[in-house]
């Protein structure tokens, strides 16, 4: 059914990710009043509606008309995902596998802790960076996520866990700096429309040449200030070792990466953190800590040590608790601010990309066994 005289619907993107003014404008373009846009905003963000059907305050005829012309890249105008699988660890860490409109799957994790709920979001489906210890990198990149698919992850965790997320970290699947427009737009939406604080958001990158200073500038431009935390996945104290772990490091010398980090700090005025995955026997020895301390001496930064989470395909070792403690001590003695990331939800396939790989493995095995004669 179509409303007589209504303007034809231009092909468009899903509504999730749009702010109040854009939704008002969109409603007006559809021949409705701006008030309808404000209702959409409330139902999308505050009430977490999953589909247009649920927004019963909107005129039925309009909803039906919209349903006949879904936007590009989504089955419904709101742009919400489908939950494909949920796995909950003993500590409450909840990993969701979400289905996109084009049949791909994304991982997102809710991590509860004293007084906070952190959502670890994906910025891409798969990843092109192929870091050797990372499960996501094994399958390559399918595509970047759109803004609605990033914001949806935060709403999905809120819905499943029944709690408002306080923190968001872009540490799920993908390399955020290869999808920085959508990432910045999603940050804007999380802050403006979901009321999160930019300081509670972290963007983690392994480093893409020539992108850090421009990220800082665009963040200032788009968000008014760049207060989210930038976390740089360093993982090694020198170029040779870094290249062994991170194939893309060949094209980005560690000195150039650090120079870009310094420019980022100068532009934003924020200190950044360095992430360092500790791989048993490989980069976790005291001499590595000493070299790391020399490398980042005087840098306004914080080091976050991440004991390796074993993944099926690789032969890396988890570092011993003694090695982790000694590494941390060696940095502290050299006045480097350091923390160790607690292993959360190991029984919920906590390492990046693992749930998806395991389920895809199962699904392929299952479909193979179904199709075999
Ligand atoms: N591409 C971005 C963000 C995604 S990964 C980046 O590389 O920073 C988020 C963090 O998890 C990165 O520091 C990454 O190196 C780390 N990580 C990936 N696989 C891991 C594993 N098996 N064990 C521990 N940390 C891992």
């Amino acid at each position: 059914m179509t409303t007589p005289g209504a303007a034809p619907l231009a092909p468009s993107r899903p509504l999730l990710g749009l702010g109040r003014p854009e939704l008002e404008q969109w409603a007006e373009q559809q021949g409705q009043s701006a008030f309808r846009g404000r209702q959409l905003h409330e139902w999308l963000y505050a009430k977490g509606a999953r589909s247009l059907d649920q927004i019963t305050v909107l005129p039925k005829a309009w909803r039906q008309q919209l349903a006949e012309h879904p936007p590009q890249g989504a089955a419904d105008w709101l742009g919400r995902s489908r939950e494909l699988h949920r796995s909950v660890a003993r500590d409450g860490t909840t990993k969701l596998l979400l289905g996109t409109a084009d049949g791909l799957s994304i991982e997102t994790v809710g991590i509860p802790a004293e007084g906070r709920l952190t959502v670890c979001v994906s910025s891409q489906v798969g990843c092109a960076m192929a870091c050797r210890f990372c499960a996501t990198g094994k399958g390559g990149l399918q595509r970047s996520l759109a803004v609605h698919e990033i914001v949806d992850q935060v709403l999905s965790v809120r819905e499943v866990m029944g709690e408002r997320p306080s923190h968001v970290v872009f540490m799920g699947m993908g390399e955020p700096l290869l999808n920085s427009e959508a990432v910045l737009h999603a940050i804007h939406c999380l802050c403006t429309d979901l009321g999160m604080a930019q300081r509670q958001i972290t963007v983690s990158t392994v480093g893409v040449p020539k992108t850090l200073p421009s990220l800082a500038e665009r963040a200032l431009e788009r968000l008014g200030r760049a207060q989210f935390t930038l976390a740089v996945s360093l993982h090694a104290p020198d170029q040779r070792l870094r290249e062994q772990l991170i194939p893309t490091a060949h094209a980005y010398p560690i000195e150039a990466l650090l120079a870009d980090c310094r420019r980022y700090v100068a532009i934003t005025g924020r200190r950044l953190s360095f992430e360092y995955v500790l791989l048993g026997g490989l980069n976790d020895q005291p001499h590595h800590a000493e070299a790391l301390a020399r490398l980042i001496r005087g840098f306004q930064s914080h080091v976050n040590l991440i004991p390796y989470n074993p993944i099926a395909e690789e032969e890396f070792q988890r570092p011993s608790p003694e090695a982790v403690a000694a590494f941390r001590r060696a940095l502290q003695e050299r006045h480097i601010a350091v923390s160790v990331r607690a292993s959360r939800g190991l029984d919920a396939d906590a390492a990046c990309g693992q749930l998806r790989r395991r389920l895809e493995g199962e699904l392929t095995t299952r479909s193979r066994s179904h199709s075999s004669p």
Side-chain angles (χ1 to χ4, degrees):
M1 196 172 88
T2 7
T3 312
L9 294 165
S12 185
R13 306 295 303 169
L15 301 179
L16 189 59
L18 298 187
R20 196 178 276 115
E22 291 89 20
L23 287 167
E24 286 177 355
Q25 210 180 6
W26 183 82
E28 284 178 330
Q29 281 166 3
Q30 305 299 317
Q32 301 288 324
S33 69
F35 171 67
R36 297 300 181 198
R38 291 195 285 281
Q39 286 181 313
L40 267 167
H41 188 272
E42 190 194 346
W43 281 76
L44 261 177
Y45 299 108
K47 297 193 193 284
R50 302 209 121 262
S51 70
L52 212 50
D53 293 344
Q54 294 175 345
I55 316 184
T56 46
V57 291
L58 297 177
K60 196 166 181 190
W62 187 38
R63 280 187 280 131
Q64 284 174 343
Q65 180 198 345
L66 288 169
E68 284 169 19
H69 304 271
Q72 279 174 357
D76 181 87
W77 275 96
L78 302 198
R80 297 297 310 270
S81 65
R82 272 182 325 122
E83 185 183 324
L84 301 177
H85 185 87
R86 184 187 306 185
S87 89
V88 183
R90 277 183 292 276
D91 65 5
T93 298
T94 301
K95 195 158 200 169
L96 302 178
L97 196 70
L98 303 172
T100 64
D102 57 350
L104 299 174
S105 48
I106 326 169
E107 276 187 28
T108 190
V109 191
I111 307 159
E114 285 285 286
R116 59 158 80 183
L117 172 60
T118 303
V119 186
C120 177
V121 296
S122 296
S123 55
Q124 297 184 306
V125 188
C127 187
M129 306 309 273
C131 300
R132 283 190 42 209
F133 47 82
C134 175
T136 304
K138 302 295 169 199
L141 173 72
Q142 270 84 64
R143 68 167 170 85
S144 283
L145 292 177
V147 179
H148 68 276
E149 295 168 318
I150 299 176
V151 177
D152 168 79
Q153 298 173 54
V154 180
L155 291 177
S156 296
V157 168
R158 183 180 77 180
E159 185 181 318
V160 165
M161 300 186 76
E163 198 183 316
R164 252 183 81 148
S166 56
H167 292 68
V168 167
V169 294
F170 284 83
M171 292 186 184
M173 293 160 55
E175 170 45 53
L177 285 193
L178 291 177
N179 188 21
S180 55
E181 269 314 301
V183 166
L184 287 176
H185 188 147
I187 294 176
H188 183 269
C189 175
L190 295 176
C191 297
T192 313
D193 305 301
L194 281 175
M196 296 192 66
Q198 223 194 100
R199 282 178 183 268
Q200 319 288 36
I201 296 174
T202 299
V203 175
S204 174
T205 177
V206 73
V208 177
K210 298 192 172 39
T211 56
L212 282 178
S214 85
L215 177 76
E217 276 153 14
R218 281 180 305 135
L220 290 176
E221 227 172 81
R222 288 194 56 97
L223 309 172
R225 52 193 191 279
Q227 288 186 332
F228 59 83
T229 299
L230 183 74
V232 175
S233 292
L234 202 54
H235 306 329
D238 62 71
Q239 177 65 8
R240 198 186 50 81
L241 184 53
R242 195 163 190 269
E243 284 178 3
Q244 283 176 27
L245 307 175
I246 306 168
T248 55
H250 284 279
Y252 200 8
I254 202 163
E255 296 75 27
L257 170 63
L258 288 176
D260 284 344
C261 289
R262 283 196 187 86
R263 287 182 59 202
Y264 184 90
V265 170
I267 297 169
T268 61
R270 296 273 294 160
R271 70 174 197 170
L272 51 77
S273 36
F274 289 113
E275 290 163 283
Y276 193 105
V277 171
L278 287 167
L279 302 159
L282 207 63
N283 67 352
D284 67 340
Q285 298 300 300
H287 71 92
H288 295 118
E290 288 156 26
L292 177 64
R294 277 196 301 277
L295 184 72
I296 60 172
R297 191 168 33 210
F299 206 108
Q300 290 218 10
S301 64
H302 176 99
V303 174
N304 193 207
L305 300 174
I306 317 171
Y308 169 63
N309 265 327
I311 62 169
E313 295 91 335
E314 280 297 344
E315 72 290 3
F316 296 115
Q317 302 295 316
R318 245 179 112 73
S320 69
E322 295 74 30
V324 177
F327 201 97
R328 173 190 209 151
R329 225 173 19 250
L331 290 180
Q332 280 169 333
E333 281 164 6
R334 288 162 182 80
H335 311 291
I336 306 278
V338 56
S339 56
V340 178
R341 185 176 305 164
S343 266
R344 295 297 308 268
L346 270 180
D347 50 338
D349 307 278
C352 189
Q354 288 203 105
L355 175 68
R356 191 176 70 121
R357 283 188 72 69
R358 181 168 65 74
L359 288 174
E360 276 177 355
E362 277 173 17
L363 295 175
T364 356
T365 330
R366 233 182 281 153
S367 61
R368 272 205 209 107
S369 56
H370 281 315
S371 60
S372 57

